[in-house]
Amino acid sequence: MPISEARRRANEKYNAKAYDQIQFRVKKGRKEVIQAHAESQGESMAAFITRAIQETMERDAQKSGNP
C-alpha cells in the first residue's frame, strides 16, 4: 500500500531534522561488492558503511591516543 502524500512529507521533514546526509561515489562495480558484503553480514549498506566508519575512527583514535 503506497504511503500518502502527507505521510511522505512528514517523513521528509523528520529526516531533514534528525539526520545529516553524506553522498559519495565509488568506482563502477564497487557498489555491488559493498552491497553483497553488507548483506553477508546481515546489514543494510548504510548500516555497514556507518559501522565501517565508526570502527575506523575508533582504531585511528587508539593509534593517536585520542579518545
Side-chain angles (χ1 to χ4, degrees):
M1 179 172 158
I3 64 171
S4 70
E5 182 64 22
R7 170 54 42 205
R8 185 189 63 76
R9 284 193 312 270
N11 288 350
E12 287 177 1
K13 183 178 178 182
Y14 173 79
N15 287 339
K17 183 172 68 170
Y19 298 104
D20 287 328
Q21 186 171 343
I22 299 172
Q23 292 183 336
F24 65 98
R25 290 176 169 75
V26 295
K27 295 222 181 219
K28 286 280 188 187
R30 291 298 296 163
K31 178 182 174 186
E32 290 77 16
V33 172
I34 295 166
Q35 180 74 48
H37 180 79
E39 288 175 4
S40 77
Q41 300 301 305
E43 296 176 298
S44 68
M45 191 162 44
F48 166 66
I49 292 168
T50 300
R51 180 174 60 84
I53 291 168
Q54 184 62 40
E55 289 177 4
T56 300
M57 289 173 61
E58 290 170 3
R59 232 181 2 258
D60 290 349
Q62 287 175 350
K63 282 191 250 181
S64 67
N66 295 328

